[in-house]
Amino acid sequence: MQYRRFGKTNLNLSIFSLGTMRCLASPSLFNDTLTTGISLGINHLETAKGYGKSEEFLGHFLQQQTLVSREELYITTKLNPTPDAELMAQWIDESLKRLKLDYIDCVAIHGINTWEHLEWITGANGCFLPLQRGLEEGKIGHLGFSTHGSLDVILAAIETDLFEFINLHYYYFFQRNEPAIALAAQKDMGIFIISPGDKGGLLYTPPALLQDLCAPFSPLELTYRFLLSDGRISTLSTGMANPREFEPILSLFEKNDKLTPEESQKFNQLEEHLNTVLNTDKCSQCYQCLPCPESINIPEILRLRNLAVAYEMKNYGQYRYGMLENAGHWFPGKKGHRCTDCGDCLPRCPENLDIPQLLKDAHQRLNGSERRRLWE
Ligand code: SF4
Ligand code: SF4
């Protein structure tokens, strides 16, 4: 396993972190999955107040595990933003109790997704105060935040300079948040990427066409390499459901270097393929079409359409599209069939796309079953 400095926290984290939200079927499965991860060199375990029994199981595991000392493991938990400072203080103590710890290495605010969340943190009597007190009292080692928010909210949250690390979405197939990566790196924040294998494209079960396009690499391997060849990024979360799920990525644990010429060539080929197949229908993800009076999430819907058409990533598209109108601020915006053909967005699109038509097409391709977040 390779390790990287987690920005200004100065923690030395394994390049793969283990999220503990998918191995909760039983305490023994949980313990086996964590034991395997730690034996493979993972030293950063991630949980959240909102992940069901995850904190509780992790507390039991930490008490009984003898693989490494407490000081060699780094625990991150996440607590939702709230306008109630007292409640946040209570949550910190409850998490410590569930985790059976006297300090938590890293606490992240779970989902600064909206301007209102940011206001709850930075406002007078906001929920940052008990977190800061936790730092001063030694209950918390470092503070950060996770986000599924828009780029402008993320940039503003980074600019508060209240946080030492960030946990966000950024993948080969979703590069919208690159300016947030750049700003966080400039501020020497630790950069922790949310589950690239899942949120980054459902790449544990890739479509045959994408596999062919990526060969001799796997789509999962390439997406991890895209991230780990970027020295600004500290660690990637993997949410293994059982010990067997480590197998496809074992060979990546030592790969910490720049892209090889073969890997770069593959990314160029993927890009060329996308451009050729989509041709004049390609959404370039500039976001200039927003806002839509019907609150349609045009760029995200057309990103999913890009991927479904070019790489046959229909399952991924349906998974993400199904969350629109079902996951609140975690995945905001309306679906494509809400388009009223008002034409507002059309003059703003530099690609001159027929947005209403493409939204209808995307809705037909992607409107499968409705999805909620794992913990809702
Ligand atoms: S044409 Fe459709 S997508 Fe464009 S702004 Fe109007 S309602 Fe929104
Ligand atoms: S303005 Fe056009 S190219 Fe840009 S994100 Fe919107 S639809 Fe895509």
Side-chain angles (χ1 to χ4, degrees), residues 291-294 296 298 338-345 348 355-356 359:
C292 158
E294 304 301 322
I296 296 168
I298 306 168
R338 309 275 183 200
C339 175
T340 58
D341 248 322
C342 74
D344 239 40
C345 56
R348 295 195 293 271
I355 295 174
L359 289 175

Side-chain angles (χ1 to χ4, degrees), residues 283-289 298-299 302 348-351 353 355:
C283 167
S284 59
Q285 294 287 284
C286 68
Y287 279 63
Q288 289 178 38
C289 45
I298 306 168
L302 296 190
R348 295 195 293 271
C349 178
E351 310 292 341
L353 296 181
I355 295 174

Side-chain angles (χ1 to χ4, degrees), residues 85-103:
E86 294 286 306
L87 190 60
M88 179 61 86
Q90 181 190 321
W91 286 348
I92 295 167
D93 288 338
E94 286 172 359
S95 282
L96 279 163
K97 202 167 162 196
R98 279 192 293 270
L99 289 163
K100 303 184 194 306
L101 294 175
D102 50 14
Y103 71 95

Side-chain angles (χ1 to χ4, degrees), residues 171-175 200-201 203 210 223 270 303 307 311 313:
Y171 316 106
Y172 175 69
F173 294 119
F174 175 73
Q175 297 184 35
L203 299 172
L210 187 64
T223 214
L270 282 170
R303 178 182 79 93
L307 298 176
Y311 303 131
M313 293 170 69

Side-chain angles (χ1 to χ4, degrees), residues 70-360:
R70 166 70 184 95
E71 291 70 35
E72 291 171 283
L73 274 183
Y74 303 108
I75 311 299
T76 291
T77 196
K78 305 198 294 265
L79 302 171
N80 288 5
T82 166
D84 185 340
E86 294 286 306
L87 190 60
M88 179 61 86
Q90 181 190 321
W91 286 348
I92 295 167
D93 288 338
E94 286 172 359
S95 282
L96 279 163
K97 202 167 162 196
R98 279 192 293 270
L99 289 163
K100 303 184 194 306
L101 294 175
D102 50 14
Y103 71 95
I104 303 168
D105 302 274
C106 300
V107 171
I109 295 185
H110 195 173
I112 300 184
N113 297 340
T114 66
W115 292 108
E116 185 182 44
H117 292 157
L118 195 54
E119 172 63 27
W120 289 348
I121 292 150
T122 55
N125 198 30
C127 69
F128 192 77
L129 294 175
L131 291 164
Q132 197 166 30
R133 210 162 50 237
L135 275 177
E136 288 158 9
E137 291 171 354
K139 293 178 178 175
I140 297 171
H142 305 278
L143 284 177
F145 70 97
S146 74
T147 178
H148 297 230
S150 62
L151 179 60
D152 50 357
V153 170
I154 302 175
L155 293 173
I158 296 171
E159 287 288 12
T160 62
D161 289 323
L162 294 174
F163 303 105
E164 291 175 89
F165 68 94
I166 180 170
N167 183 211
L168 79 170
H169 291 271
Y170 174 66
Y171 316 106
Y172 175 69
F173 294 119
F174 175 73
Q175 297 184 35
R176 166 73 176 162
N177 286 341
E178 198 284 334
I181 299 281
L183 184 62
Q186 187 192 318
K187 289 184 176 283
D188 194 26
M189 292 172 76
I191 298 179
F192 177 22
I193 304 294
I194 298 171
S195 62
D198 182 62
K199 309 290 190 305
L202 273 189
L203 299 172
Y204 288 99
T205 50
L209 175 68
L210 187 64
Q211 290 184 57
D212 289 347
L213 289 168
C214 293
F217 309 104
S218 72
L220 187 64
E221 189 177 355
L222 276 188
T223 214
Y224 283 131
R225 288 291 296 134
F226 169 78
L227 295 168
L228 289 173
S229 61
D230 185 337
R232 300 172 299 180
I233 290 169
S234 323
T235 184
L236 315 179
S237 82
T238 52
M240 303 307 181
N242 59 60
R244 292 185 307 282
E245 289 195 356
F246 287 102
E247 277 162 30
I249 60 165
L250 287 180
S251 63
L252 296 169
F253 285 6
E254 294 302 327
K255 287 195 180 170
N256 205 18
D257 38 13
K258 297 272 168 239
L259 290 180
T260 63
E262 293 74 23
E263 288 168 339
S264 296
Q265 192 191 14
K266 261 307 146 192
F267 285 117
N268 290 338
Q269 285 173 0
L270 282 170
E271 184 75 23
E272 274 169 31
H273 179 83
L274 183 92
N275 291 334
T276 307
V277 174
L278 289 165
N279 199 359
T280 53
D281 281 355
K282 184 184 136 185
C283 167
S284 59
Q285 294 287 284
C286 68
Y287 279 63
Q288 289 178 38
C289 45
L290 296 181
C292 158
E294 304 301 322
S295 302
I296 296 168
N297 194 337
I298 306 168
E300 180 61 7
I301 293 171
L302 296 190
R303 178 182 79 93
L304 299 174
R305 183 185 180 278
N306 280 355
L307 298 176
V309 172
Y311 303 131
E312 295 181 356
M313 293 170 69
K314 193 173 169 184
N315 286 347
Y316 172 66
Q318 289 180 340
Y319 157 47
R320 303 306 281 170
Y321 193 78
M323 289 175 70
L324 289 169
E325 303 184 24
N326 283 303
H329 56 73
W330 296 98
F331 206 71
K334 298 271 167 58
K335 292 186 176 182
H337 68 302
R338 309 275 183 200
C339 175
T340 58
D341 248 322
C342 74
D344 239 40
C345 56
L346 297 178
R348 295 195 293 271
C349 178
E351 310 292 341
N352 292 317
L353 296 181
D354 184 348
I355 295 174
Q357 185 52 39
L358 292 175
L359 289 175
K360 280 188 195 88

